[in-house]
Amino acid sequence: MSDASHDRSTVSFREIMADDPTGLEAIAGMHMELLGYGPMAGLGRRFVREICYRAHMQDELLRVTLATVGGHPAGFVAYTPYSATFHRSGLGRHLVRAGLETALAILSKPSRLIKLMRALKVLGSRREENQRVDDTIGEVVCIAVRPEYLKPAFARASG
């Protein structure tokens, strides 16, 4: 199917909830596929699904919207309405769970220890910034779109 054959009616959006295993799996899969070079992805798909998404969604610190084209996942956007709280204390609320998921990730693939150090460096780099940020500010945490949906022909056809 060519990009131009898609029309506006085949594009849909739905919010993914923390208790939606199919939606969470789709988001985690796309995160690993499209953003797999990032520091959190280095800890594996399970860590991404359970800690980066489900835990924050349960606390209502993160919202995720999945875009589909013709019923197939095309991309997603994850955003927080409370940027400072999300970065300042989001993982702290799930420290034991995050520790367990991190230990499982490292035990299953010891080379992930280097990825963990990179992830901690990224988290630490935001500490000073988050002390100054007003919590009424939201933030797009990540956005990912499959390459075939980034083409101008698809954008024109889908609106």
Side-chain angles (χ1 to χ4, degrees), residues 7 26 33 41 44 46 75-76 94 105 113 117 139 144-146:
D7 65 26
E33 174 188 341
R46 178 182 165 107
F76 70 94
H94 300 278
L113 185 57
M117 301 316 257
E139 174 182 356
V145 179
R146 289 210 160 105

Side-chain angles (χ1 to χ4, degrees), residues 31-32 35-45 47-48 52 112 115:
H31 186 110
M32 295 302 290
L35 305 170
Y37 53 83
M40 298 304 169
L43 295 174
R45 185 179 188 134
F47 184 90
V48 166
C52 296
R112 288 182 173 153
K115 304 286 186 180

